[in-house]
Amino acid sequence: MAIIDTIKAKAKQRTMHIVLPEGEEKRTVHAASIIKNEGLAKVTLLGDPEKIKAEYADVCLCGIDIINPATSEKTAEYANILFELRKAKGMTEEKAAALAKDPMYYGVLMVKAGDADGLVSGAIHSTGDMLRPALQIIKTKPGMKAVSSSFLMETAKGVMIFADCAVIPCPTAEELAAIALGAADTARSLGGLDPKVAMLSFSTKGSAKHELVDKVVEATRMAKELAPDLALDGELQLDAALVPEVGQLKSPGSPVAGYANVLVFPDLQAANIGYKLVQRLGNAEAYGPILQGIAKPCNDLSRGCSIEDIVATVAITAVQAQEA
Ligand code: ACO
């Protein structure tokens, strides 16, 4: 069974409530209808109900809540939550009241208040604009140093996790360790994997000397300290991580080398290029970016996403919500 079908089957087992802030957007409206029909989640669209119903009269939206943040009775309550959370950062009551009417903030505040279990957006917003309210309001999980992301890759070698392909441009060693732990969690919860985490570099176990390599070595040390039972090793070159003979040669005795299923790239440029290479040249299916290390599930879409991408991301978010 394809990994996304396994995830959808899991999503159906316990209905989670997912909010879609871009509720006036065509692909999102069509996706909401499919999600409802397939029983993947309860969805709420944000937007003007009259406008949505008139514009998409051909789409069955029965059983789907539509909330207009500009007129909702909850907006004042959410504005107050936002003000209290951010007043030390210069938030005023007036600004909070205006932001709470913005669907991107309203949606995140619904999740924060426990009125929805998760959120999916980004079909018409950049990754940065989607992430900022989530980072400011939902924040990191207790014990996790940073929010990061993974791609779930269905490759010729099976399901793998690539991280961080979308959030932290130039991670510190501490952030790289957090990415590794977050990716291991994603591997377990969504990939059904027993994670074997490779901290990637252009060096294997001291074969090259450079400050960039030192950062990966330090991140490996920190991650091992935080999760001593996790199968994690570094620094490893990609071939040492994936090819058993090379792994044995370059990193003998490693619990990971040659058999890695979680690849932690040293920065966002390498990771973003890496997943797209495997997707475009290796014909892998790529699902993500899936946010990890965040206190409640919020996930981003690509602006080029299809209706099916939105459906899949909602299923992924629902499974994360089940496990939150
Ligand atoms: N984890 C936890 N909190 C974070 C993180 C993080 N990784 N990054 C920022 N924050 C917090 C900050 O601490 C701050 O909180 P505070 O206001 O309470 O103090 C808040 O988020 C805002 O932080 P800023 O530094 O002002 O936010 P910034 O403008 O730098 O945006 C962002 C952060 C959006 C994550 C930025 O790093 C970014 O744009 N990353 C790259 C996104 C991207 O373009 N990805 C590639 C495309 S995606 C794709 O191809 C699939």
Side-chain angles (χ1 to χ4, degrees), residues 171-231:
T172 61
E174 192 178 38
E175 286 170 333
L176 210 45
I179 292 168
L181 302 195
D185 280 348
T186 302
R188 285 188 206 97
S189 65
L190 291 168
L193 299 169
D194 181 14
K196 291 186 170 33
V197 184
M199 305 294 284
L200 297 180
S201 173
F202 59 84
S203 165
T204 301
K205 300 294 169 93
S207 66
K209 306 273 177 236
H210 194 278
E211 63 194 48
L212 292 174
V213 177
D214 295 342
K215 182 165 83 172
V216 179
V217 172
E218 177 61 3
T220 305
R221 187 194 65 73
M222 288 175 157
K224 282 185 172 166
E225 204 171 283
L226 289 165
D229 297 332
L230 178 64

Side-chain angles (χ1 to χ4, degrees), residues 31-80:
S33 180
I34 295 169
I35 293 157
K36 163 78 181 126
N37 278 344
E38 293 188 8
L40 294 170
K42 167 180 161 58
V43 278
T44 292
L45 293 171
L46 300 186
D48 179 347
E50 301 309 319
K51 189 174 162 192
I52 294 169
K53 283 177 189 159
E55 201 163 330
Y56 305 104
D58 56 327
V59 183
C60 174
L61 293 175
C62 39
I64 294 173
D65 287 341
I66 306 176
I67 296 175
N68 188 348
T71 56
S72 162
E73 61 194 17
K74 283 273 191 177
T75 305
E77 182 191 320
Y78 292 165
N80 194 45

